[in-house]
Amino acid sequence: MIFHSLIFLCFVIVTVITNYLLPQRFRSFFLLFCSLAFIGYYNIESLIAVIVFSFFNFYISRNIRGNRFLYIAGILLNAYAIIMFNYFFATRQGFDFSYSAISFNINSFIIALGLSFYALQNIAYLTEVYFNRWQPEISVKNFLFYNSFFPKVASGPVMMPREFMPQIDRNVITHEKLAAGFNRLLLGLFKKMVIADRLAPAVHSIFDFGDTNHGLTTLAGAYLFTIQLYFDFSGYTDMAIGIAKMLGYDLKENFNLPLRSSSISEFWRRWHISLISWFTAYIYYPLVYRLRSYKKAAALAGILATFLISGAWHGIGITFFLWACCHIVYLSFELLTKRMRSGLPEKFIYKLAGIFIVFNAVSFSNIFFRSGSLSSALQMVKNLFSDFFPSDWLRDFIAPLAVGGHQIDEFNFYISMFLAGAFLLFERKINRIAESERFSFYYTTACVLLIFLFGIFSNGERFIYMQF
Amino acid sequence: MNTVKKITISVAIILLVLAGLSRMYDFALRHNANIKAAYVQSAKIDANIIFHGPCEPLWMISPAILDSQTHVKSYNLALSHSDFADNYLHLYFYLKHNKAPEMMFLYVTPESMDANYNTFNTYRFAAFVGDPVVDSVLKECDPDYAKWSSFPFMKYAWYSSKVNFDALQGLKHYVQHRTIPYYPDGYEPPVQVVWDNHLEKFIQLYPDGYNFEWNKLREKYLCKTIELAQQHGIEVYLYESPVLEEALHYQPNREEIVKKIKGIADKYNILYVQFDKMKIAASRKYFMSTLNLNMEGSRIFTDTLGKYISGRLHYNEFIRPHL
């Protein structure tokens, strides 16, 4: 059941209405049942995994206080689960560094839905309990709910225990929340179906069949992937937040206009916020604190560790390692030149230049993130720096991006560019309406009609982050 | 205005607009002369011979060249990436508004019987949802679409990226009173004219060769297409155009599948004409892919086919009556 499938929307409607009508004390039981049904519908292995891991972590958390051995065992168990399930099983490959774990194939098989997301939550939970910052949960039902809550199980947001657990038995549903949730859900559907999925064929064409593309075509492919990834993942997050809101829960924001960032550090404060918060809290800060006497070197070590682990979390392939290296270089450069750059005046033109540089830097790193193998990533980088401008624009630039030379392909490509461009231009305004707690007649009508007119219903892509 | 009222009005307007758009798309697509399904239902083609199948006949058989050889009118009804269910519906549309042709040449190869090659292109029939024959095929070949297509506009929204352009073009054709398609005899010269390297990729993927899988649904619609044609008194010929010889080494069960196709031809008492071993099959210079001939190859093949058809016409006209 994919989030933007019609069957899932029917499931959401039934769940929201039933949950609304139920007395509060039954809601968490009902939603736990729905969540397990959702996971079980995806595949039975995912259902078994979420139940087994929840029970293990619950048991460990009950006995963890003052037991360092159990704490380390718990952390290792979850880390091992991420490695095992995300890499060995999901790719069904041997331990081969030349292979990238990411396939972006609609048929790619994910044996345990969302395991790497709830494993992170479990590590956070065990740490908080071990260090006496959080009381261990006494209800196994609530702990299972924390891990399996269906709007967030597939790709987060990664919720810290203090952010989610207090809500479990105290969810409040108001008309304002219903309206706000509905607005966010619509926004997510729009982003996914109208923009991300429409860009997917162009990205697919450049990344998977683009061995001989010119530099500009390759660059355009890298830009488009960055935009696709943003709309795909933020669309998912909007849907997750929207559905959770309609069910009476607040999930953490994951994105805050990241494509408008004028520095890489700002970008990482705005992109996949929940994951970065996790890494900051459990990797970066503890490490920097331990090495604090080394000053700048401590921060550099923190960046290095955070991004190497983040790269490995996404996949153990060499391409993710290179993607992480790109960001380590960018952030280290920013850190080392911070004083020099602080002298620059606060002018719009500098801000604009910053946005342009960041977008290019992120898009460049995403070549490694998206490429199926090291050789194809290196080929794309090579293409980027040789024979930059195409001689025949229609044949060498538009046709590969439009996935064919037919009028219909070009038409679709231009429509997709227009929709993505218009959205990015008015994103702040659109977000403001989508976050409002009032039902908006114009917004709803426009969103629904645009989804029907330009959305991809038939063969929508899976959400990219579902495979991590 | 309270929220409930707002929601009600919003839902009503959305449904109304979707219903209106659905009508508009119906109208526009039926007026698009470039859509074969629409064109064959509005124009009087009345060809004596039709060629049918996927991209191979579409790109390789030019009625203009053939007609000058056979002195009868022919029409190329083929469509790219189409399977037999797709072919069946197009033949059904053709026969609804046109005189039944004398002959139909239907392209059938082991590839046509394997679901990994070509497909049923649902979007081509979106404007004709509601026709019982179309609906029954849709139900079988694209059940998800069939299930949702009764929701307002969903029959178009489902494949929006495939139909939006055609709908706009249809409106343009209506405004300009255009009734003749861009390719009036149905033949489309191939876009790709150089060797496309698919064979190399294929060998990389299947170094030990690829075994074709016989698909039951393909078989069913091949039979239905033949039956529909025979019900209208059309003489059906199954045929296979030249296949690049070097590719045959990577298709271990090709002959086995060909035998099964011959079995179907025998069942309906029709001929399976194979041009696969023509001389040009030995050289890549006549091909742009394993099954698709380039312009030069197509010219040679069309010439051979023309001679064959002339022979058959001569046989039908002068010899058969005396047998």
Side-chain angles (χ1 to χ4, degrees):
Chain A
M1 206 173 349
I2 315 175
F3 256 37
H4 58 297
S5 63
L6 291 166
I7 181 126
F8 178 74
L9 292 181
C10 295
F11 170 76
V12 167
I13 292 168
V14 173
T15 309
V16 167
I17 294 172
T18 316
N19 184 60
Y20 179 74
L21 296 174
L22 278 175
Q24 199 193 39
R25 65 182 185 280
F26 296 127
R27 282 180 188 160
S28 59
F29 287 98
F30 170 70
L31 290 177
L32 178 62
F33 169 77
C34 291
S35 299
L36 296 178
F38 170 80
I39 298 168
Y41 184 87
Y42 187 80
N43 67 26
I44 197 73
E45 290 89 341
S46 302
L47 181 64
I48 295 168
V50 75
I51 293 172
V52 169
F53 276 93
S54 298
F55 273 101
F56 264 121
N57 281 290
F58 179 77
Y59 170 77
I60 291 171
S61 73
R62 299 291 300 160
N63 302 286
I64 202 172
R65 290 258 164 99
N67 190 338
R68 191 177 167 79
F69 171 75
L70 205 56
Y71 170 61
I72 292 171
I75 302 295
L76 288 179
L77 171 82
N78 287 293
Y80 181 70
I82 293 174
I83 294 167
M84 283 299 288
F85 283 88
N86 259 12
Y87 188 76
F88 289 101
F89 287 100
T91 65
R92 294 176 174 183
Q93 301 285 321
F95 197 79
D96 177 5
F97 270 101
S98 64
Y99 182 80
S100 164
I102 198 164
S103 69
F104 288 91
N105 185 337
I106 191 137
N107 295 318
S108 69
F109 183 70
I110 303 154
I111 198 159
L113 182 70
L115 189 139
S116 46
F117 286 90
Y118 61 74
L120 287 184
Q121 289 186 163
N122 288 336
I123 291 174
Y125 175 75
L126 293 180
T127 307
E128 297 296 298
V129 173
Y130 179 73
F131 287 107
N132 273 328
R133 296 193 293 249
W134 190 254
Q135 286 297 315
E137 179 60 58
I138 51 164
S139 155
V140 69
K141 181 263 294 176
N142 282 4
F143 191 75
L144 188 56
F145 190 99
Y146 171 55
N147 275 340
S148 66
F149 184 47
F150 78 87
K152 71 173 177 66
V153 71
S155 309
V158 180
M159 299 291 284
M160 305 291 184
R162 82 181 76 86
E163 292 165 340
F164 191 75
M165 285 190 151
Q167 299 184 55
I168 294 176
D169 281 323
R170 293 187 208 102
N171 67 335
V172 183
I173 308 172
T174 59
H175 288 158
E176 286 76 20
K177 267 197 165 183
L178 282 173
F182 176 74
N183 289 340
R184 280 304 282 273
L185 176 63
L186 261 188
L187 181 72
L189 281 172
F190 178 85
K191 280 182 178 176
K192 172 67 179 161
M193 295 171 75
V194 178
I195 301 179
D197 280 1
R198 287 185 73 95
L199 293 178
V203 172
H204 178 57
S205 151
I206 300 297
F207 275 85
D208 301 329
F209 301 101
D211 295 352
T212 54
N213 279 331
H214 288 261
L216 190 65
T217 319
T218 308
L219 183 66
Y223 284 170
L224 289 182
F225 175 62
T226 302
I227 297 171
Q228 185 209 353
L229 183 64
Y230 170 55
F231 279 106
D232 188 279
F233 195 20
S234 69
Y236 165 83
T237 307
D238 287 325
M239 282 193 240
I241 292 174
I243 295 165
K245 237 183 216 336
M246 289 195 282
L247 298 171
Y249 296 90
D250 289 316
L251 298 185
K252 196 174 181 166
E253 291 293 342
N254 239 354
F255 294 91
N256 178 22
L257 308 173
L259 300 186
R260 295 180 183 208
S261 310
S262 55
S263 69
I264 294 288
S265 45
E266 187 189 353
F267 174 81
W268 281 113
R269 285 193 299 273
R270 291 162 171 257
W271 179 280
H272 206 171
I273 297 166
S274 67
L275 183 77
I276 289 302
S277 309
W278 190 97
F279 281 122
T280 310
Y282 299 106
I283 309 274
Y284 182 80
Y285 281 152
L287 194 69
V288 172
Y289 182 75
R290 278 189 171 228
L291 303 173
R292 60 189 179 281
S293 54
Y294 297 97
K295 293 176 184 165
K296 257 189 186 170
L300 288 173
I303 292 170
L304 186 75
T306 303
F307 276 90
L308 285 180
I309 294 171
S310 170
W313 179 84
H314 283 91
I316 304 175
I318 187 84
T319 49
F320 288 111
F321 172 73
L322 292 173
W323 167 79
C325 286
C326 285
H327 284 279
I328 291 167
V329 171
Y330 299 157
L331 286 166
S332 305
F333 177 79
E334 271 191 16
L335 186 75
L336 296 172
T337 59
K338 196 175 176 183
R339 192 176 292 171
M340 198 172 78
R341 285 180 300 110
S342 63
L344 289 172
E346 284 276 320
K347 279 188 179 170
F348 178 68
I349 188 78
Y350 288 118
K351 170 95 180 154
L352 213 61
I355 292 172
F356 180 73
I357 292 166
V358 167
F359 185 66
N360 275 278
V362 170
S363 299
F364 179 77
S365 68
N366 280 346
I367 290 178
F368 299 102
F369 192 89
R370 171 62 175 80
S371 289
S373 65
L374 178 63
S375 59
S376 67
L378 293 178
Q379 181 61 46
M380 282 193 74
V381 174
K382 198 176 146 196
N383 290 348
L384 210 52
F385 295 106
S386 55
D387 207 5
F388 192 77
F389 290 106
S391 47
D392 183 335
W393 283 85
L394 197 65
R395 191 194 63 201
D396 298 332
F397 186 70
I398 299 294
L401 288 168
V403 202
H406 291 96
Q407 273 178 311
I408 184 168
D409 305 320
E410 281 177 34
F411 172 81
N412 279 327
F413 176 67
Y414 294 135
I415 290 276
S416 309
M417 289 302 99
F418 172 77
L419 289 166
F423 191 97
L424 285 172
L425 203 61
F426 298 106
E427 191 176 10
R428 203 185 291 270
K429 274 187 185 169
I430 298 169
N431 282 356
R432 209 175 299 142
I433 305 170
E435 282 162 18
S436 110
E437 293 190 333
R438 289 175 62 190
F439 177 81
S440 164
F441 170 77
Y442 294 109
Y443 167 80
T444 306
T445 311
C447 269
V448 172
L449 290 180
L450 283 171
I451 288 170
F452 269 88
L453 271 172
F454 299 111
I456 305 289
F457 283 83
S458 55
N459 51 351
E461 304 273 318
R462 266 178 208 276
F463 287 95
I464 291 172
Y465 259 76
M466 267 176 79
Q467 59 206 306
F468 299 125
Chain B
M1 195 164 23
N2 68 29
T3 312
V4 179
K5 241 186 193 172
K6 262 190 190 174
I7 293 172
T8 315
I9 293 174
S10 192
V11 169
I13 287 180
I14 287 167
L15 289 176
L16 244 144
V17 173
L18 290 179
L21 276 172
S22 197
R23 287 284 179 96
M24 197 181 87
Y25 271 57
D26 281 344
F27 177 83
L29 288 167
R30 281 162 192 258
H31 281 85
N32 188 328
N34 288 340
I35 296 177
K36 265 186 186 161
Y39 175 66
V40 298
Q41 291 189 75
S42 60
K44 274 278 166 218
I45 300 168
D46 292 341
N48 298 90
I49 303 169
I50 55 172
F51 299 97
H52 210 3
C55 57
E56 285 81 6
L58 177 73
W59 295 341
M60 292 188 324
I61 300 175
S62 162
I65 299 173
L66 267 180
D67 294 358
S68 63
Q69 236 176 316
T70 57
H71 308 293
V72 293
K73 189 183 176 188
S74 61
Y75 180 74
N76 193 330
L77 188 59
L79 276 145
S80 57
H81 314 305
S82 58
D83 68 357
F84 292 123
D86 208 309
N87 297 157
Y88 168 73
L89 283 180
H90 276 90
L91 180 65
Y92 163 72
F93 290 144
Y94 181 88
L95 294 174
K96 256 171 102 174
H97 290 262
N98 288 279
K99 167 180 98 119
E102 284 170 46
M103 292 179 175
M104 178 177 81
F105 281 79
L106 179 62
Y107 177 84
V108 186
T109 68
E111 284 84 356
S112 333
M113 307 310 300
D114 186 329
N116 289 319
Y117 291 83
N118 296 323
T119 189
F120 178 71
N121 299 278
T122 313
Y123 65 92
R124 287 177 179 153
F125 310 101
F128 309 100
V129 168
D131 181 308
V133 177
V134 175
D135 288 353
S136 73
V137 178
L138 288 176
K139 222 172 171 180
E140 201 160 20
C141 297
D142 195 347
D144 279 344
Y145 176 85
K147 207 161 51 192
W148 291 100
S149 59
S150 48
F151 190 84
F153 195 66
M154 192 52 102
K155 62 180 180 176
Y156 295 117
W158 197 265
Y159 293 105
S160 62
S161 60
K162 299 279 186 194
V163 295
N164 285 340
F165 177 80
D166 286 342
L168 278 176
Q169 196 176 50
L171 284 180
K172 190 182 117 189
H173 286 186
Y174 174 73
V175 172
Q176 294 178 344
H177 302 290
R178 187 169 156 181
T179 51
I180 307 293
Y182 192 76
Y183 299 113
D185 57 10
Y187 161 72
E188 286 181 23
V191 180
Q192 179 95 18
V193 286
V194 290
W195 179 252
D196 68 0
N197 288 324
H198 279 181
L199 179 63
E200 285 76 8
K201 286 177 188 162
F202 180 88
I203 295 169
Q204 228 175 358
L205 267 172
Y206 304 101
D208 301 325
Y210 174 80
N211 274 309
F212 294 108
E213 289 164 30
W214 184 269
N215 182 278
K216 286 274 172 203
L217 199 65
R218 291 282 169 95
E219 182 186 346
K220 179 182 171 181
Y221 278 97
L222 169 61
C223 294
K224 282 190 86 161
T225 309
I226 297 170
E227 283 162 15
L228 178 67
Q230 289 188 332
Q231 278 162 20
H232 285 78
I234 304 168
E235 198 176 328
V236 181
Y237 292 84
L238 307 185
Y239 85 98
E240 185 180 30
S241 50
V243 184
L244 181 63
E245 229 171 71
E246 61 179 290
L248 301 178
H249 305 305
Y250 299 95
Q251 302 168 347
N253 68 339
R254 189 175 187 93
E255 282 308 313
E256 189 189 317
I257 304 286
V258 166
K259 265 188 200 160
K260 283 177 104 171
I261 297 171
K262 280 181 181 160
I264 293 177
D266 290 343
K267 183 179 150 194
Y268 289 98
N269 200 21
I270 56 179
L271 287 174
Y272 184 33
V273 196
Q274 288 182 280
F275 297 96
D276 60 327
K277 305 241 165 30
M278 270 174 71
K279 262 188 188 168
I280 54 169
S283 171
R284 268 192 191 200
K285 74 174 189 181
Y286 298 106
F287 287 84
M288 54 187 188
S289 70
T290 312
L291 297 174
N292 286 111
L293 294 162
N294 60 19
M295 296 298 260
E296 176 59 10
S298 296
R299 194 192 53 75
I300 298 169
F301 168 62
T302 310
D303 189 57
T304 311
L305 184 66
K307 281 178 189 146
Y308 178 82
I309 293 171
S310 298
R312 292 308 301 179
L313 287 170
H314 183 263
Y315 171 84
N316 285 352
E317 196 174 344
F318 301 108
I319 303 173
R320 189 185 267 173
H322 304 291
L323 289 176

